Amino acid sequence: VHADDSFGRDGLEGANKGFAKSGLKAVAVLKADRAKPDYAQLVPPLVQARSQAVVWIGSGSAVADGVKALRTAGSAAQVVTLSN
């Protein structure tokens, strides 16, 4: 999940480079509105994909609220983020 802004796109590019080096591929790539992420739209595909880990690139509050939404939906996926 990445914020739909330059920070999110840069983070996504870095994550994809890391995945490629490790021979991994994301099962889902989702854009989130920077100002008001729609967790009702973002979380179900992650839960359906049975994601073991989620890389969430966004503001601290967006990531924290996203983790809460994931847990409420029953996901125990590890959540990884970054800090600028």
Side-chain angles (χ1 to χ4, degrees):
V1 179
H2 66 93
D4 191 12
D5 61 10
S6 61
F7 174 69
R9 288 185 294 276
D10 287 347
L12 175 62
E13 183 179 335
N16 283 332
K17 285 179 183 177
F19 291 149
K21 284 182 182 180
S22 300
L24 300 172
K25 188 176 179 182
V27 296
V29 176
L30 307 169
K31 287 184 193 179
D33 183 282
R34 178 185 180 171
K36 190 174 180 186
D38 185 351
Y39 302 106
Q41 293 289 331
L42 295 168
V43 170
L46 300 173
V47 173
Q48 275 186 317
R50 297 180 180 224
S51 302
Q52 294 177 355
V54 176
V55 178
W56 204 304
I57 304 163
S59 70
S61 60
V63 174
D65 291 344
V67 171
K68 289 176 190 173
L70 275 170
R71 298 298 178 249
T72 298
S75 173
Q78 179 179 3
V79 178
V80 180
T81 191
L82 56 105
S83 174
N84 57 351

